[in-house]
Amino acid sequence: MGLLDSLKARLGPAKGKVSDLAHRHGDKAHHGVDKAAKVVDEKTKGTYSDSIHTGADKAKGAVDRVAHKDEPSTGRGDTFVPPTPPSPPSPPPAS
């Protein structure tokens, strides 16, 4: 068994717990990310403000993905839906 297989086997049971925690406490995680982003932005005196906010948004998105991973698809792009093929043209009228 390789290192990655061993790691996956050990972390498998924690996956559900992490998802449950993210689902129950997502609002607190979002608040923590916002608070950390604010502190970092203040420490850098706004120099990296755009990058900090982009990173914070990505972190909050990751929390949301973990929290909703086991829920059914919401149609927000979670699954691929193939486009509907165009309908064939109608035949010309008979004379």
Side-chain angles (χ1 to χ4, degrees):
M1 183 182 288
L3 177 65
L4 288 178
D5 293 331
S6 176
L7 189 59
K8 284 180 185 179
R10 290 178 186 253
L11 293 178
K15 185 178 178 182
K17 291 179 184 178
V18 170
S19 178
D20 184 48
L21 285 172
H23 187 70
R24 289 190 293 153
H25 302 290
D27 56 336
K28 291 179 184 178
H30 283 226
H31 179 71
V33 168
D34 287 336
K35 191 172 181 180
K38 181 180 176 185
V39 169
V40 171
D41 198 24
E42 289 173 358
K43 293 287 184 181
T44 60
K45 298 178 182 170
T47 304
Y48 303 103
S49 186
D50 291 338
S51 297
I52 291 167
H53 291 294
T54 300
D57 290 341
K58 287 184 179 184
K60 289 189 275 186
V63 170
D64 290 340
R65 280 193 312 274
V66 169
H68 297 85
K69 187 169 187 171
D70 296 330
E71 293 184 4
S73 176
T74 59
R76 300 178 299 134
D78 297 332
T79 58
F80 174 73
V81 177
T84 306
S87 59
S90 58
S95 311

